[in-house]
Amino acid sequence: MSLFNRHILLGVTGGIAAYKALELVRLLKKEGAQVRVVMTKAACEFIAPLSFQALSGHSVHIELLDVDAENAMGHIELARWADIFIIAPASANTLSKFSHGSADNLLSTLYLAANCPVYIAPAMNHVMWNHVATQTNIQIVQSHGIRLISPEAGEQACGEIGVGRMAEPQTICTRILADLTQQPQVLAGVNIIITAGATREPLDAVRYITNRSSGKMGYAIACAAQLAGANVTLISGITALSPPKNCRFIQTETAQAMHNAVFENINPCDIFIGAAAVADYRPIEVAQKKIKKKDDTLTLTFQKNADILADVASTKNPPFTVGFAAETHDLEHYARDKLVRKKLDMIAANWVGGERGGFESCENALDIFWQDGHKSLPMTGKETLATQLISLIAERFHLKIKPI
Ligand code: C5P
C-alpha cells in the first residue's frame, strides 16, 4: 500500500488505450491511493464515465463550465486536491494543448492549475508520435517538468507496427511507486515522533469534549517522514483514518494518555512534531453515569492539561521540536509567540475558520517560522504539503545538529 492515501488525479483522453486506464485505476487503488478521474469528451466516446465512476468510487469530472460539478468540487479545488496528476492515455491533441497552455477544456485547465508532479503516458499512431509537432510538444511539456512515461513499440490498434502504444498500466504504476520511494532519504535513520488527531476528554459515561481535527495533516506528515527514511512513531488521538503502514502506531484518547505515550517513547527521539489538536482543559470530574438533563444551565469545572509539546521541548536534551499553530487571526504574532514561549525549533502556522481550508479539508497552506527565518508553503494537498514540510524540517534539523 505504498500509495496509501495519496490523491491521484487521472486524466483520460480520447484514444482506444482509454480502456487500459480502467486497469490503471484498479492498480492505483490497490496501492491505497484515492483516485479521481477527469475525462475529455472524446474519451467518453471510447469508455463510459460510469466505468471509471464504479472503479474509482467518485463521479467523473468532464465539463469545465458545469455549475453542479463546480459546486461539488471546483476545478481549482480538484487541482489542489491532487498529489499526483497522471494523464493516461495522453492524446496528441491534449499534448498540444498542454504545450501551449490552452485552457479550453477541464483537463487542460487542470494542467495549468495543478501544483503537483504530472505524468503523461502518450498513446497514438506511430506516425503521429514521430511527427515533429508531437515531438516538439513533448520537449516543451518536459521543459514544464512533466514526467514522460514513454509509449511502447508493438502492434497498434490500426494494425500498423511502431512506437505509440500506451505503456502498460502496471508499468505506469511501478514508475510512480519508484519515483516516490526514490525520494531523497533526507531523514534516513532519524527517529521521529508525531502526534496527530484530536484528543477526547470524557465528561460522563457518554459525552466528551474534543477539538475539530481530522488528523489528515499529521498522518500525511507521518507518511512523508517515513518516505524520507525516518523511523516514525505516530501517536494518534481520535481520527477516522486508518494507520499508515510501516510506522509504529500508538492509539490514545485523552491528552493525558497522549502525554504518557509520548514520554514512554521519547527515548530515542531526534525530531518531535506536535500536529495533534490537544484539548487544553479536561473536566475535573468525570461522572460515572450519564449526566441527566435538569437545570437550564450546567456548570462544569475544567483543569488545564499538560502541554505535551512544551514539555518535550523543555526536556534536558530536547529533540528538534516542531509545533503547529492553528489561528483565526494575527497568525504570525501568535505563531512566533508560541515558538519562543514553548522553546520550539520551528512552528507551522495555518489559518483556520472561514474558507481557508484547515480542519477537515484535504488541502492546507502553511506559514513556517523559526528563530531567524520564515517560509510560506502555498495551498496544496496535505500529502504534498507534508512532503514540503518534511524537507524543510530535515534541512533545519541537519543545520542544528551539524551547523555549517
Ligand atoms: O498552545 P496551543 O495549543 O495553541 O499550541 C498548539 C501546539 O501545541 C500544537 O503543536 C499542539 O500539538 C501542541 N499542544 C500540545 N499539548 C497541549 C496543547 C497543545 O502538544 N496540551
Short mmCIF file of all heavy atoms in Angstrom, two decimals, residues 96-154:
data_model
loop_
_atom_site.label_atom_id
_atom_site.label_comp_id
_atom_site.label_asym_id
_atom_site.label_seq_id
_atom_site.Cartn_x
_atom_site.Cartn_y
_atom_site.Cartn_z
N SER A 96 -0.67 18.87 -27.26
CA SER A 96 -0.54 20.17 -27.91
C SER A 96 -1.15 21.27 -27.04
O SER A 96 -0.58 22.35 -26.89
CB SER A 96 -1.22 20.08 -29.28
OG SER A 96 -1.60 21.34 -29.71
N LYS A 97 -2.30 20.96 -26.42
CA LYS A 97 -2.92 21.95 -25.53
C LYS A 97 -2.00 22.25 -24.34
O LYS A 97 -1.83 23.40 -23.96
CB LYS A 97 -4.25 21.41 -24.99
CG LYS A 97 -5.36 21.40 -26.02
CD LYS A 97 -6.64 20.89 -25.41
CE LYS A 97 -7.57 20.44 -26.49
NZ LYS A 97 -8.87 21.01 -26.46
N PHE A 98 -1.42 21.20 -23.77
CA PHE A 98 -0.54 21.40 -22.61
C PHE A 98 0.67 22.25 -23.01
O PHE A 98 1.09 23.13 -22.28
CB PHE A 98 -0.04 20.05 -22.07
CG PHE A 98 -1.04 19.28 -21.26
CD1 PHE A 98 -2.38 19.65 -21.20
CD2 PHE A 98 -0.65 18.14 -20.54
CE1 PHE A 98 -3.30 18.92 -20.46
CE2 PHE A 98 -1.56 17.42 -19.79
CZ PHE A 98 -2.88 17.80 -19.76
N SER A 99 1.22 21.95 -24.19
CA SER A 99 2.45 22.65 -24.55
C SER A 99 2.18 24.14 -24.80
O SER A 99 3.06 24.96 -24.63
CB SER A 99 3.12 21.99 -25.75
OG SER A 99 2.51 22.41 -26.93
N HIS A 100 0.95 24.47 -25.20
CA HIS A 100 0.64 25.87 -25.48
C HIS A 100 -0.06 26.58 -24.33
O HIS A 100 -0.38 27.76 -24.43
CB HIS A 100 -0.23 25.97 -26.75
CG HIS A 100 0.55 25.63 -27.97
ND1 HIS A 100 0.63 24.36 -28.49
CD2 HIS A 100 1.33 26.40 -28.76
CE1 HIS A 100 1.43 24.36 -29.54
NE2 HIS A 100 1.86 25.57 -29.73
N GLY A 101 -0.34 25.86 -23.29
CA GLY A 101 -1.02 26.48 -22.14
C GLY A 101 -2.48 26.80 -22.41
O GLY A 101 -3.03 27.73 -21.83
N SER A 102 -3.11 26.01 -23.29
CA SER A 102 -4.55 26.23 -23.53
C SER A 102 -5.34 25.85 -22.28
O SER A 102 -4.90 24.99 -21.51
CB SER A 102 -5.07 25.32 -24.65
OG SER A 102 -4.40 25.58 -25.83
N ALA A 103 -6.50 26.46 -22.16
CA ALA A 103 -7.37 26.10 -21.03
C ALA A 103 -8.79 26.06 -21.56
O ALA A 103 -9.68 26.72 -21.05
CB ALA A 103 -7.22 27.11 -19.91
N ASP A 104 -9.00 25.25 -22.62
CA ASP A 104 -10.31 25.26 -23.28
C ASP A 104 -11.14 24.04 -22.93
O ASP A 104 -12.21 23.84 -23.46
CB ASP A 104 -10.14 25.38 -24.80
CG ASP A 104 -9.42 24.19 -25.39
OD1 ASP A 104 -8.83 23.41 -24.61
OD2 ASP A 104 -9.47 24.02 -26.62
N ASN A 105 -10.63 23.17 -22.07
CA ASN A 105 -11.47 22.10 -21.52
C ASN A 105 -11.00 21.85 -20.09
O ASN A 105 -10.02 22.45 -19.62
CB ASN A 105 -11.46 20.83 -22.39
CG ASN A 105 -10.11 20.15 -22.45
OD1 ASN A 105 -9.17 20.52 -21.72
ND2 ASN A 105 -9.98 19.16 -23.29
N LEU A 106 -11.71 20.97 -19.39
CA LEU A 106 -11.39 20.79 -17.97
C LEU A 106 -9.98 20.25 -17.77
O LEU A 106 -9.23 20.72 -16.92
CB LEU A 106 -12.43 19.83 -17.34
CG LEU A 106 -12.26 19.57 -15.85
CD1 LEU A 106 -12.29 20.86 -15.04
CD2 LEU A 106 -13.33 18.62 -15.34
N LEU A 107 -9.59 19.27 -18.61
CA LEU A 107 -8.28 18.63 -18.43
C LEU A 107 -7.14 19.63 -18.62
O LEU A 107 -6.22 19.69 -17.79
CB LEU A 107 -8.16 17.45 -19.40
CG LEU A 107 -6.88 16.63 -19.27
CD1 LEU A 107 -6.73 16.03 -17.87
CD2 LEU A 107 -6.86 15.49 -20.30
N SER A 108 -7.20 20.42 -19.70
CA SER A 108 -6.09 21.37 -19.94
C SER A 108 -6.08 22.47 -18.88
O SER A 108 -5.02 22.95 -18.48
CB SER A 108 -6.16 21.95 -21.35
OG SER A 108 -7.42 22.55 -21.56
N THR A 109 -7.25 22.83 -18.37
CA THR A 109 -7.31 23.84 -17.31
C THR A 109 -6.69 23.28 -16.02
O THR A 109 -5.94 23.97 -15.33
CB THR A 109 -8.78 24.26 -17.05
OG1 THR A 109 -9.36 24.61 -18.29
CG2 THR A 109 -8.88 25.41 -16.09
N LEU A 110 -6.99 22.02 -15.75
CA LEU A 110 -6.42 21.39 -14.55
C LEU A 110 -4.90 21.32 -14.64
O LEU A 110 -4.20 21.47 -13.65
CB LEU A 110 -7.00 19.98 -14.36
CG LEU A 110 -8.44 19.94 -13.87
CD1 LEU A 110 -9.01 18.53 -13.98
CD2 LEU A 110 -8.53 20.41 -12.42
N TYR A 111 -4.40 21.09 -15.85
CA TYR A 111 -2.95 21.03 -16.03
C TYR A 111 -2.31 22.35 -15.61
O TYR A 111 -1.29 22.38 -14.92
CB TYR A 111 -2.60 20.68 -17.49
CG TYR A 111 -1.13 20.78 -17.77
CD1 TYR A 111 -0.21 20.01 -17.05
CD2 TYR A 111 -0.63 21.67 -18.73
CE1 TYR A 111 1.16 20.13 -17.28
CE2 TYR A 111 0.72 21.78 -18.97
CZ TYR A 111 1.62 21.02 -18.24
OH TYR A 111 2.97 21.13 -18.46
N LEU A 112 -2.96 23.46 -16.00
CA LEU A 112 -2.41 24.78 -15.64
C LEU A 112 -2.55 25.05 -14.15
O LEU A 112 -1.72 25.73 -13.56
CB LEU A 112 -3.12 25.89 -16.43
CG LEU A 112 -2.87 25.92 -17.93
CD1 LEU A 112 -3.58 27.11 -18.54
CD2 LEU A 112 -1.38 26.01 -18.24
N ALA A 113 -3.61 24.51 -13.57
CA ALA A 113 -3.89 24.82 -12.15
C ALA A 113 -3.18 23.88 -11.19
O ALA A 113 -3.08 24.17 -10.00
CB ALA A 113 -5.40 24.76 -11.91
N ALA A 114 -2.66 22.76 -11.70
CA ALA A 114 -2.07 21.77 -10.79
C ALA A 114 -0.68 22.20 -10.32
O ALA A 114 0.08 22.80 -11.08
CB ALA A 114 -1.98 20.41 -11.48
N ASN A 115 -0.41 21.87 -9.07
CA ASN A 115 0.85 22.28 -8.45
C ASN A 115 1.56 21.04 -7.91
O ASN A 115 2.17 21.07 -6.87
CB ASN A 115 0.49 23.25 -7.31
CG ASN A 115 1.68 23.88 -6.69
OD1 ASN A 115 2.73 23.93 -7.30
ND2 ASN A 115 1.53 24.34 -5.45
N CYS A 116 1.41 19.92 -8.63
CA CYS A 116 1.96 18.65 -8.13
C CYS A 116 2.68 17.96 -9.29
O CYS A 116 2.58 18.41 -10.43
CB CYS A 116 0.80 17.78 -7.63
SG CYS A 116 -0.37 17.34 -8.93
N PRO A 117 3.40 16.89 -9.04
CA PRO A 117 4.04 16.17 -10.15
C PRO A 117 3.00 15.70 -11.17
O PRO A 117 1.94 15.20 -10.79
CB PRO A 117 4.72 14.98 -9.48
CG PRO A 117 4.85 15.36 -8.05
CD PRO A 117 3.71 16.28 -7.73
N VAL A 118 3.31 15.90 -12.46
CA VAL A 118 2.40 15.50 -13.54
C VAL A 118 3.10 14.46 -14.43
O VAL A 118 4.25 14.66 -14.83
CB VAL A 118 1.99 16.72 -14.41
CG1 VAL A 118 1.00 16.29 -15.50
CG2 VAL A 118 1.38 17.83 -13.56
N TYR A 119 2.41 13.36 -14.67
CA TYR A 119 2.93 12.30 -15.54
C TYR A 119 2.06 12.23 -16.79
O TYR A 119 0.84 12.38 -16.70
CB TYR A 119 2.84 10.94 -14.85
CG TYR A 119 3.80 10.77 -13.68
CD1 TYR A 119 3.46 11.25 -12.42
CD2 TYR A 119 5.01 10.11 -13.84
CE1 TYR A 119 4.32 11.10 -11.35
CE2 TYR A 119 5.87 9.94 -12.77
CZ TYR A 119 5.53 10.44 -11.52
OH TYR A 119 6.37 10.28 -10.47
N ILE A 120 2.70 11.96 -17.94
CA ILE A 120 1.88 11.68 -19.13
C ILE A 120 2.32 10.36 -19.73
O ILE A 120 3.52 10.06 -19.83
CB ILE A 120 1.97 12.76 -20.24
CG1 ILE A 120 3.42 13.20 -20.47
CG2 ILE A 120 1.05 13.92 -20.00
CD1 ILE A 120 3.60 13.88 -21.80
N ALA A 121 1.33 9.58 -20.12
CA ALA A 121 1.60 8.33 -20.83
C ALA A 121 0.91 8.47 -22.19
O ALA A 121 -0.27 8.16 -22.34
CB ALA A 121 1.03 7.16 -20.04
N PRO A 122 1.66 8.98 -23.20
CA PRO A 122 1.04 9.21 -24.51
C PRO A 122 0.64 7.90 -25.19
O PRO A 122 1.22 6.85 -24.93
CB PRO A 122 2.15 9.92 -25.31
CG PRO A 122 3.14 10.38 -24.31
CD PRO A 122 3.06 9.42 -23.17
N ALA A 123 -0.36 8.01 -26.05
CA ALA A 123 -0.80 6.87 -26.86
C ALA A 123 -1.33 7.41 -28.17
O ALA A 123 -2.23 8.25 -28.16
CB ALA A 123 -1.89 6.09 -26.13
N MET A 124 -0.75 6.97 -29.24
CA MET A 124 -1.24 7.42 -30.57
C MET A 124 -0.58 6.58 -31.65
O MET A 124 0.35 5.80 -31.37
CB MET A 124 -0.95 8.92 -30.77
CG MET A 124 0.51 9.28 -30.83
SD MET A 124 0.80 11.04 -30.57
CE MET A 124 0.54 11.25 -28.83
N ASN A 125 -1.03 6.78 -32.86
CA ASN A 125 -0.45 6.11 -34.02
C ASN A 125 1.04 6.49 -34.11
O ASN A 125 1.42 7.61 -33.81
CB ASN A 125 -1.24 6.56 -35.25
CG ASN A 125 -0.56 6.20 -36.53
OD1 ASN A 125 0.30 6.93 -37.01
ND2 ASN A 125 -0.94 5.06 -37.07
N HIS A 126 1.87 5.52 -34.57
CA HIS A 126 3.32 5.75 -34.56
C HIS A 126 3.76 6.91 -35.45
O HIS A 126 4.73 7.61 -35.15
CB HIS A 126 4.06 4.45 -34.92
CG HIS A 126 3.84 3.98 -36.32
ND1 HIS A 126 4.80 4.04 -37.28
CD2 HIS A 126 2.74 3.44 -36.92
CE1 HIS A 126 4.33 3.55 -38.42
NE2 HIS A 126 3.08 3.18 -38.22
N VAL A 127 3.01 7.16 -36.53
CA VAL A 127 3.39 8.28 -37.41
C VAL A 127 3.08 9.61 -36.69
O VAL A 127 3.89 10.55 -36.71
CB VAL A 127 2.66 8.21 -38.78
CG1 VAL A 127 3.13 9.34 -39.69
CG2 VAL A 127 2.90 6.86 -39.44
N MET A 128 1.94 9.64 -36.00
CA MET A 128 1.60 10.84 -35.22
C MET A 128 2.63 11.07 -34.12
O MET A 128 3.04 12.20 -33.85
CB MET A 128 0.20 10.68 -34.59
CG MET A 128 -0.93 10.70 -35.59
SD MET A 128 -2.48 10.25 -34.80
CE MET A 128 -2.85 11.69 -33.84
N TRP A 129 3.02 9.97 -33.47
CA TRP A 129 4.00 10.08 -32.37
C TRP A 129 5.33 10.64 -32.89
O TRP A 129 5.96 11.48 -32.26
CB TRP A 129 4.20 8.71 -31.71
CG TRP A 129 5.32 8.69 -30.72
CD1 TRP A 129 6.52 8.03 -30.83
CD2 TRP A 129 5.40 9.38 -29.46
NE1 TRP A 129 7.31 8.25 -29.74
CE2 TRP A 129 6.64 9.08 -28.88
CE3 TRP A 129 4.52 10.23 -28.78
CZ2 TRP A 129 7.04 9.58 -27.65
CZ3 TRP A 129 4.92 10.74 -27.54
CH2 TRP A 129 6.16 10.42 -26.99
N ASN A 130 5.74 10.19 -34.06
CA ASN A 130 7.04 10.61 -34.58
C ASN A 130 6.99 11.97 -35.29
O ASN A 130 8.03 12.51 -35.65
CB ASN A 130 7.58 9.55 -35.55
CG ASN A 130 8.12 8.36 -34.77
OD1 ASN A 130 8.81 8.52 -33.77
ND2 ASN A 130 7.75 7.16 -35.19
N HIS A 131 5.80 12.50 -35.48
CA HIS A 131 5.70 13.80 -36.18
C HIS A 131 6.46 14.86 -35.39
O HIS A 131 6.42 14.88 -34.16
CB HIS A 131 4.22 14.21 -36.33
CG HIS A 131 4.04 15.31 -37.32
ND1 HIS A 131 4.37 16.62 -37.06
CD2 HIS A 131 3.58 15.27 -38.60
CE1 HIS A 131 4.12 17.35 -38.12
NE2 HIS A 131 3.63 16.55 -39.09
N VAL A 132 7.11 15.73 -36.12
CA VAL A 132 7.93 16.75 -35.47
C VAL A 132 7.09 17.63 -34.52
O VAL A 132 7.57 18.06 -33.46
CB VAL A 132 8.72 17.59 -36.52
CG1 VAL A 132 7.78 18.41 -37.39
CG2 VAL A 132 9.76 18.46 -35.88
N ALA A 133 5.82 17.84 -34.86
CA ALA A 133 4.97 18.67 -34.00
C ALA A 133 4.78 18.00 -32.64
O ALA A 133 4.90 18.63 -31.58
CB ALA A 133 3.62 18.91 -34.67
N THR A 134 4.51 16.68 -32.69
CA THR A 134 4.31 15.95 -31.42
C THR A 134 5.62 15.93 -30.62
O THR A 134 5.62 16.17 -29.41
CB THR A 134 3.84 14.51 -31.71
OG1 THR A 134 2.70 14.57 -32.54
CG2 THR A 134 3.52 13.76 -30.44
N GLN A 135 6.72 15.63 -31.31
CA GLN A 135 8.00 15.55 -30.60
C GLN A 135 8.38 16.91 -30.00
O GLN A 135 8.93 16.97 -28.91
CB GLN A 135 9.10 15.02 -31.54
CG GLN A 135 8.93 13.53 -31.87
CD GLN A 135 8.85 12.66 -30.62
OE1 GLN A 135 9.66 12.78 -29.71
NE2 GLN A 135 7.84 11.80 -30.54
N THR A 136 8.06 17.99 -30.72
CA THR A 136 8.34 19.33 -30.17
C THR A 136 7.48 19.56 -28.94
O THR A 136 7.96 20.06 -27.91
CB THR A 136 8.02 20.42 -31.24
OG1 THR A 136 8.68 20.06 -32.43
CG2 THR A 136 8.46 21.79 -30.80
N ASN A 137 6.21 19.16 -29.02
CA ASN A 137 5.32 19.34 -27.86
C ASN A 137 5.81 18.53 -26.66
O ASN A 137 5.73 18.99 -25.52
CB ASN A 137 3.88 18.93 -28.22
CG ASN A 137 3.22 19.96 -29.11
OD1 ASN A 137 3.61 21.14 -29.09
ND2 ASN A 137 2.24 19.54 -29.89
N ILE A 138 6.33 17.33 -26.93
CA ILE A 138 6.87 16.50 -25.85
C ILE A 138 8.02 17.23 -25.18
O ILE A 138 8.12 17.30 -23.94
CB ILE A 138 7.33 15.12 -26.39
CG1 ILE A 138 6.12 14.24 -26.69
CG2 ILE A 138 8.27 14.41 -25.44
CD1 ILE A 138 5.40 13.70 -25.46
N GLN A 139 8.90 17.80 -25.99
CA GLN A 139 10.04 18.53 -25.41
C GLN A 139 9.56 19.72 -24.58
O GLN A 139 10.07 19.98 -23.50
CB GLN A 139 10.96 19.04 -26.52
CG GLN A 139 11.88 17.95 -27.02
CD GLN A 139 12.71 18.42 -28.21
OE1 GLN A 139 12.84 19.63 -28.45
NE2 GLN A 139 13.23 17.48 -28.95
N ILE A 140 8.55 20.41 -25.12
CA ILE A 140 8.05 21.60 -24.39
C ILE A 140 7.45 21.18 -23.04
O ILE A 140 7.77 21.75 -22.01
CB ILE A 140 7.02 22.38 -25.24
CG1 ILE A 140 7.71 22.97 -26.47
CG2 ILE A 140 6.36 23.49 -24.41
CD1 ILE A 140 6.76 23.61 -27.48
N VAL A 141 6.60 20.13 -23.05
CA VAL A 141 5.97 19.77 -21.77
C VAL A 141 6.99 19.21 -20.79
O VAL A 141 6.88 19.39 -19.58
CB VAL A 141 4.73 18.83 -21.92
CG1 VAL A 141 3.62 19.51 -22.68
CG2 VAL A 141 5.08 17.49 -22.51
N GLN A 142 8.03 18.56 -21.33
CA GLN A 142 9.08 18.09 -20.42
C GLN A 142 9.81 19.28 -19.80
O GLN A 142 10.22 19.22 -18.64
CB GLN A 142 10.05 17.17 -21.15
CG GLN A 142 9.47 15.77 -21.32
CD GLN A 142 10.45 14.78 -21.92
OE1 GLN A 142 10.87 14.95 -23.06
NE2 GLN A 142 10.82 13.79 -21.16
N SER A 143 9.92 20.36 -20.57
CA SER A 143 10.57 21.56 -20.01
C SER A 143 9.69 22.20 -18.93
O SER A 143 10.16 22.96 -18.10
CB SER A 143 10.91 22.57 -21.11
OG SER A 143 9.73 23.24 -21.51
N HIS A 144 8.37 21.87 -18.93
CA HIS A 144 7.49 22.34 -17.85
C HIS A 144 7.68 21.49 -16.60
O HIS A 144 7.12 21.78 -15.57
CB HIS A 144 5.99 22.21 -18.22
CG HIS A 144 5.55 22.97 -19.43
ND1 HIS A 144 4.30 22.80 -19.98
CD2 HIS A 144 6.17 23.90 -20.17
CE1 HIS A 144 4.17 23.59 -21.04
NE2 HIS A 144 5.29 24.26 -21.18
N GLY A 145 8.37 20.36 -16.75
CA GLY A 145 8.55 19.47 -15.60
C GLY A 145 7.71 18.21 -15.69
O GLY A 145 7.74 17.38 -14.78
N ILE A 146 6.95 18.04 -16.78
CA ILE A 146 6.13 16.82 -16.93
C ILE A 146 7.04 15.60 -16.98
O ILE A 146 8.11 15.64 -17.59
CB ILE A 146 5.27 16.92 -18.22
CG1 ILE A 146 3.92 17.57 -17.91
CG2 ILE A 146 5.05 15.56 -18.84
CD1 ILE A 146 2.85 17.35 -18.94
N ARG A 147 6.61 14.53 -16.34
CA ARG A 147 7.38 13.29 -16.37
C ARG A 147 6.78 12.37 -17.44
O ARG A 147 5.60 12.02 -17.34
CB ARG A 147 7.35 12.61 -15.01
CG ARG A 147 7.88 13.56 -13.93
CD ARG A 147 7.62 13.03 -12.55
NE ARG A 147 7.92 14.07 -11.57
CZ ARG A 147 8.19 13.83 -10.30
NH1 ARG A 147 8.20 12.60 -9.85
NH2 ARG A 147 8.45 14.82 -9.47
N LEU A 148 7.59 12.03 -18.39
CA LEU A 148 7.10 11.26 -19.53
C LEU A 148 7.21 9.76 -19.26
O LEU A 148 8.27 9.27 -18.85
CB LEU A 148 7.93 11.62 -20.77
CG LEU A 148 7.68 10.79 -22.02
CD1 LEU A 148 6.27 11.05 -22.58
CD2 LEU A 148 8.73 11.12 -23.10
N ILE A 149 6.11 9.05 -19.45
CA ILE A 149 6.16 7.58 -19.41
C ILE A 149 6.00 7.17 -20.87
O ILE A 149 4.90 7.22 -21.44
CB ILE A 149 5.06 7.00 -18.51
CG1 ILE A 149 5.19 7.61 -17.09
CG2 ILE A 149 5.16 5.48 -18.46
CD1 ILE A 149 4.12 7.18 -16.11
N SER A 150 7.12 6.85 -21.47
CA SER A 150 7.18 6.71 -22.94
C SER A 150 6.26 5.63 -23.46
O SER A 150 6.09 4.59 -22.82
CB SER A 150 8.61 6.39 -23.36
OG SER A 150 9.44 7.43 -22.96
N PRO A 151 5.72 5.87 -24.66
CA PRO A 151 4.92 4.82 -25.28
C PRO A 151 5.81 3.65 -25.71
O PRO A 151 7.02 3.80 -25.87
CB PRO A 151 4.31 5.53 -26.49
CG PRO A 151 5.16 6.72 -26.74
CD PRO A 151 5.81 7.09 -25.45
N GLU A 152 5.16 2.51 -25.87
CA GLU A 152 5.92 1.31 -26.20
C GLU A 152 5.73 0.94 -27.67
O GLU A 152 4.80 1.41 -28.32
CB GLU A 152 5.45 0.16 -25.30
CG GLU A 152 5.80 0.43 -23.84
CD GLU A 152 5.13 -0.51 -22.85
OE1 GLU A 152 4.36 -1.40 -23.30
OE2 GLU A 152 5.38 -0.34 -21.65
N ALA A 153 6.64 0.09 -28.13
CA ALA A 153 6.56 -0.36 -29.53
C ALA A 153 5.67 -1.60 -29.60
O ALA A 153 5.52 -2.33 -28.63
CB ALA A 153 7.96 -0.71 -30.02
N GLY A 154 5.06 -1.80 -30.76
CA GLY A 154 4.26 -3.02 -30.92
C GLY A 154 3.17 -2.80 -31.93
O GLY A 154 3.14 -1.76 -32.62
#
